[in-house]
Amino acid sequence: LEMMSKIGLPIRESLKIVSEVLDAYGLREKIKIIAAEKVLTPDDVVELLCYGADFINIARGFMISAGCIRARTCSGAGGRNCPVGLATMNEGKRSKYLVEEKSRHVANYHHALVHGVRSLLAVMGKKDVSELSMDDLIQRVKY
């Protein structure tokens, strides 16, 4: 918990700094930036791309679409078991996990995510994510 909330910089600030440093050293075209954070929705994806990410790793949204209830009792060193059978070594629970049904949910999530990103790009007058930049973000200022 301490690592999640107290250590490091937020992803947006980090992306901006890394992108600027790579630009300053002429390395931006040679090094790709992968962003992984709490990405669930199309606007999350577009925002991280604007901040300089070249592509996004998404786990949470796909796990939730596959049935994860975020019980934090996944199979692991503690001998715990995922209550839905998604991330467990318990054969009994795994055998009850509905793979075909859940795979459709995952595919639907992916389709909706990509469609949402394309819709946002269209609204922004863009044809491709490579056209996104910090200039496309609106900065909110607190008064």
Side-chain angles (χ1 to χ4, degrees):
L1 184 60
E2 291 80 15
M3 293 291 284
M4 290 184 346
S5 60
K6 302 292 183 191
I7 305 296
L9 290 173
I11 188 74
R12 284 148 186 81
E13 289 176 46
S14 301
L15 285 170
K16 188 172 186 289
I17 291 168
V18 169
S19 192
E20 288 172 356
V21 168
L22 291 175
D23 280 337
Y25 285 94
L27 297 170
R28 189 63 183 95
E29 295 304 316
K30 295 179 182 178
I31 298 174
K32 299 301 175 197
I33 302 172
I34 305 166
E37 196 212 20
K38 298 173 184 171
V39 179
L40 289 173
T41 61
D43 56 307
D44 293 333
V45 172
V46 168
E47 187 177 5
L48 292 179
L49 292 170
C50 286
Y51 272 96
D54 292 300
F55 59 96
I56 315 292
N57 279 348
I58 301 173
R60 184 178 307 225
F62 284 102
M63 289 297 289
I64 291 169
S65 70
C68 175
I69 60 171
R70 301 185 66 219
R72 295 186 179 200
T73 57
C74 307
S75 185
R80 301 173 295 180
N81 287 306
C82 169
V84 297
L86 174 61
T88 185
M89 297 308 290
N90 180 315
E91 289 187 32
K93 285 186 179 180
R94 265 195 346 235
S95 67
K96 294 175 183 156
Y97 183 76
L98 305 172
V99 174
E100 286 187 37
E101 177 186 330
K102 299 300 182 178
S103 68
R104 286 191 294 276
H105 295 187
V106 172
N108 289 341
Y109 171 72
H110 181 259
H111 175 75
L113 186 68
V114 171
H115 177 75
V117 169
R118 286 184 179 139
S119 296
L120 288 172
L121 289 174
V123 167
M124 298 168 77
K126 312 278 185 201
K127 292 184 179 185
D128 191 81
V129 293
S130 63
E131 299 174 43
L132 293 170
S133 72
M134 288 290 291
D135 295 334
D136 296 312
L137 298 174
I138 296 173
Q139 185 177 8
R140 294 182 195 164
V141 179
K142 293 181 182 180
Y143 294 100

